[in-house]
Amino acid sequence: MRINRIMLDAIAADLPTYHRAKSSAGIYCKHRIMAEHHPLRTADQEPKTAEFASLNAAAERRAKECRSAVMPSLTHLNFRDYDRVYEPSDDTYLLIDAIGYDVDAMEQSEVDGRTLRSNMLQSVEIGCGTGTPTVYLAKRIRGKREETSSNNINKNCVHYVTDINPDAIRIAKATAESNGIPAEHFEAIQCDLASQLLDQLAGKVDVLIFNPPYVPTPDEEVGSSGIEASWAGGSNGRVVIDRALPQIARLLAFPHGVAYVVTVDDNYPEQISQTMDELYGIKVVPWLRRRAHNEYLTIQRMTPTRPFQEE
């Protein structure tokens, strides 16, 4: 049931962190859509190997231990915008928690964090929606840069976001601007997946972010350029994910590039891990894992073990 949008607009204007607290009220929450397709998990979605089951368990522990990331401000948006673009929900929160977990760890592993910031020159978010994860990443990097008062750290860092939905491109730009990210460090491109960046950024992307349309739907529902593109994933929720995997492998920098990809168990993530390893030498590890409604969300952390080679 939809709640009073005027009331929520007022609350959102007063509480910048409101969006994180209201996931259960999300109008276009993927998990509510998923519940219409299958209310229960099936036995064949369980890991086939003890190793992957152990990785899932470790990811659940990691998700409980990590601190909650602070959401970027979204007070520039209203609920008419969320009729056109996916509203941040549990998957978004887990995604930025995973990014924040690694940023925290990398900063603590360096005396002043300089290596992390100087190495991060390009990030890409596929299917950006509001742009929340990339803006979170950009703010973390920018904030630490300002702490050092160094003009030489990340001065060339560019965050690219893509989406097939033109409203998402407009809204992501507004999110970056509202959160103080300079336009020269944030480039939004309307395209299918990362198709317009493959030649330009092949082997150069330090951080890649992808919250795909993972909801299992009929295949004919895949391919919209509207808000439906944010959830309709086709058979096993894998149609768009499978198209994106070779692009992710091609874009990641070797050896330090890392991708954060959202999955649910319906997507058979263990198969994704095997495919990425066998075809591209990409190691896939369940990194953070948390229950949301009737599903488990997992952030799959992908890192290259060798330079990309065309199939």
Side-chain angles (χ1 to χ4, degrees):
M1 182 177 71
R2 296 197 179 196
I3 54 182
N4 188 299
R5 293 190 172 200
I6 296 175
M7 177 183 70
L8 290 180
D9 281 340
I11 295 172
D14 290 336
L15 298 176
T17 59
Y18 167 71
H19 288 273
R20 179 149 196 150
K22 66 166 288 290
S23 62
S24 64
I27 294 167
Y28 288 115
C29 178
K30 292 180 188 176
H31 318 299
R32 291 195 168 193
I33 297 167
M34 289 188 71
E36 297 175 3
H37 290 267
H38 58 94
L40 297 174
R41 299 167 63 205
T42 59
D44 70 330
Q45 294 168 4
E46 298 294 333
K48 298 298 186 290
T49 65
E51 179 184 8
F52 205 80
S54 177
L55 290 172
N56 273 344
E60 289 186 47
R61 291 193 298 270
R62 201 174 289 117
K64 292 177 181 178
E65 295 167 358
C66 77
R67 64 172 179 161
S68 294
V70 178
M71 280 280 287
S73 172
L74 296 177
T75 57
H76 59 290
L77 302 180
N78 59 53
F79 282 86
R80 287 180 294 277
D81 291 317
Y82 295 127
D83 280 334
R84 298 176 174 86
V85 70
Y86 181 67
E87 180 177 5
S89 188
D90 296 320
D91 46 5
T92 317
Y93 309 145
L94 187 62
L95 185 52
I96 64 174
D97 283 352
I99 295 168
Y101 182 89
D102 276 2
V103 172
D104 288 343
M106 287 186 287
E107 287 174 353
Q108 293 167 10
S109 69
E110 301 292 336
V111 174
D112 63 356
R114 186 181 181 91
T115 302
L116 166 65
R117 294 192 298 276
S118 61
N119 282 347
M120 195 174 295
L121 295 177
Q122 274 116 191
S123 76
V124 169
E125 182 177 1
I126 300 173
C128 61
T130 61
T132 295
T134 291
V135 170
Y136 170 78
L137 174 64
K139 289 185 71 174
R140 287 294 307 270
I141 296 169
R142 184 175 176 80
K144 291 301 178 182
R145 171 184 159 184
E146 290 171 352
E147 286 178 13
T148 65
S149 300
S150 171
N151 292 324
N152 295 321
I153 299 175
N154 275 320
K155 65 180 181 180
N156 296 318
C157 184
V158 179
H159 302 281
Y160 298 88
V161 300
T162 74
D163 207 295
I164 199 168
N165 180 353
D167 288 305
I169 297 301
R170 170 183 59 81
I171 288 170
K173 287 180 178 179
T175 300
E177 180 180 2
S178 179
N179 283 272
I181 307 303
E184 62 268 24
H185 294 292
F186 191 91
E187 185 170 342
I189 302 166
Q190 184 184 355
C191 66
D192 179 31
L193 299 177
S195 57
Q196 297 300 311
L197 296 173
L198 293 177
D199 292 336
Q200 176 186 350
L201 296 181
K204 299 178 181 178
V205 173
D206 303 301
V207 176
L208 189 145
I209 302 166
F210 187 31
N211 186 356
Y214 52 69
V215 178
T217 65
D219 286 353
E220 56 267 24
E221 294 184 12
V222 178
S224 164
S225 60
I227 190 173
E228 298 84 3
S230 68
W231 70 69
S235 179
N236 295 325
R238 283 280 296 274
V239 171
V240 179
I241 292 175
D242 287 347
R243 290 182 54 235
L245 295 180
Q247 295 190 14
I248 293 171
R250 183 175 176 183
L251 288 168
L252 283 179
F254 173 78
H256 61 274
V258 58
Y260 301 91
V261 180
V262 181
T263 65
V264 290
D265 292 345
D266 299 73
N267 306 146
Y268 297 93
E270 191 170 14
Q271 293 180 2
I272 293 174
S273 176
Q274 293 168 350
T275 297
M276 292 298 275
D277 179 43
E278 293 171 2
L279 295 183
Y280 309 112
I282 300 287
K283 182 180 180 180
V284 179
V285 175
W287 200 236
L288 262 65
R289 179 174 167 87
R290 189 177 291 151
R291 183 163 183 170
H293 305 280
N294 66 317
E295 279 297 333
Y296 275 95
L297 290 162
T298 306
I299 307 302
Q300 307 294 339
R301 190 178 190 271
M302 304 184 177
T303 53
T305 63
R306 59 172 170 80
F308 176 76
Q309 300 171 354
E310 295 284 355
E311 294 182 78

